[in-house]
Amino acid sequence: MSKILPHERTFVALDTTDLAHALSLAKSLSGHVGGMKVGKEFFTACGPDGVRAVSDCGMPVFMDTKFHDIPNTVAGAIRAALPLKPYILNVHASGGEVMMRAAAQAVAEAGEGRPLLIAITVLTSMDESDLQDVGVDSAVADQVLRLATLAQYSGLDGVVCSAREVEDLREHLGKDFKLVVPGIRPKWAASDDQKRIVTPAAAVAIGADYLVIGRPITGAADPVEAADKIAAEIAAGV
Ligand code: C5P
């Protein structure tokens, strides 16, 4: 089993274009969480220098840029990201096996200490009727399992998934396949626009490796206190 410490489970979603705000959060949360997640919003506004600056706060970075393109272009994007030394990188599994293998090969070039490469399966904003609109005639859970299985077969380390998918994926894909789970809300936090939420401890108990948590920490009056409370809840399993 993994030896991830309770506080290391959490990657804090920096959904902002404000570099100063992001850096202030990253500096104060260093040592209290596992790392920071920067997505397309932050990356488009603050670029590689922004990612480097977050990293320089001593925080592992999950670069949630969700690459999806032809294999050569995705491999090139991954190679361009490697000097930023991200802890986690991701691609869309729907880009297919050849694309994922090219991405995995590019990541492997970083050698020991390479980033984890994980896949997006079905965006949680999509339901079965959205899948049908794009020609996929499957239940969401079936399509998630199909794409996650393909990601594992193509050499990826894990997937981003919702809490409701964790048990099924863990059962089919084994204990070492990384499951990174957003939609997390401690009991004391507002649910915001998240519809299907689980607590940090419940997500870990059912088999999540890493949690992506944004507003319950970034919007708290004291983000460090919120992060510490989450780590304590995970440690206590409540
Ligand atoms: O603030 P909150 O905790 O809701 O932030 C969750 C983060 O996880 C955001 O960056 C959001 O884009 C991301 N995410 C999500 N649900 C998914 C995939 C990613 O909430 N299915």
Side-chain angles (χ1 to χ4, degrees):
M1 280 306 283
S2 58
K3 298 269 192 316
I4 309 169
L5 295 173
H7 74 276
E8 292 171 344
R9 301 251 180 211
T10 299
F11 276 74
V12 180
L14 285 176
D15 292 317
T16 178
T17 57
D18 181 343
L19 181 60
H21 179 54
L23 293 182
S24 139
L25 278 167
K27 273 182 203 136
S28 59
L29 287 166
S30 183
H32 296 269
V33 294
M36 312 303 281
K37 179 182 88 81
V38 297
K40 287 192 168 98
E41 185 180 354
F42 178 88
F43 190 73
T44 303
C46 305
D49 286 343
V51 177
R52 230 175 261 117
V54 172
S55 240
D56 288 347
C57 298
M59 297 295 270
V61 174
F62 171 6
M63 259 182 86
D64 184 20
T65 39
K66 298 186 178 70
F67 296 129
H68 188 179
D69 210 311
I70 60 171
N72 185 58
T73 301
V74 167
I78 299 262
R79 283 192 190 98
L82 291 179
L84 303 174
K85 300 204 181 333
Y87 185 71
I88 306 177
L89 281 171
N90 60 8
V91 299
H92 272 278
S94 51
E97 180 189 344
V98 178
M99 189 206 83
M100 286 194 279
R101 285 200 185 280
Q105 199 177 340
V107 159
E109 288 165 18
E112 211 164 308
R114 69 168 179 80
L116 291 172
L117 180 64
I118 63 175
I120 303 296
T121 58
V122 178
L123 293 168
T124 46
S125 52
M126 296 183 81
D127 62 17
E128 200 167 320
S129 108
D130 295 310
L131 283 182
Q132 272 176 5
D133 288 345
V134 296
V136 177
D137 198 13
S138 300
V140 171
D142 294 341
Q143 181 66 359
V144 166
L145 180 58
R146 177 179 298 123
L147 288 174
T149 304
L150 183 64
Q152 186 177 53
Y153 176 72
S154 307
L156 269 66
D157 300 299
V159 290
V160 180
C161 66
S162 78
R164 61 154 61 177
E165 293 150 1
V166 165
E167 284 166 292
D168 196 33
L169 294 178
R170 183 60 74 215
E171 184 189 326
H172 284 91
L173 302 174
K175 66 178 175 53
D176 294 330
F177 198 61
K178 301 284 181 267
L179 301 178
V180 180
V181 180
I184 304 293
R185 286 292 178 274
K187 284 205 184 79
W188 39 267
S191 55
D192 305 306
D193 53 356
Q194 295 282 9
K195 295 206 173 69
R196 293 184 297 272
I197 52 177
V198 295
T199 65
V204 172
I206 58 174
D209 292 292
Y210 294 107
L211 315 176
V212 172
I213 308 180
R215 289 161 288 180
I217 294 175
T218 59
D222 184 340
V224 171
E225 183 187 54
D228 288 347
K229 217 161 144 184
I230 288 168
E233 288 173 10
I234 293 171
V238 291

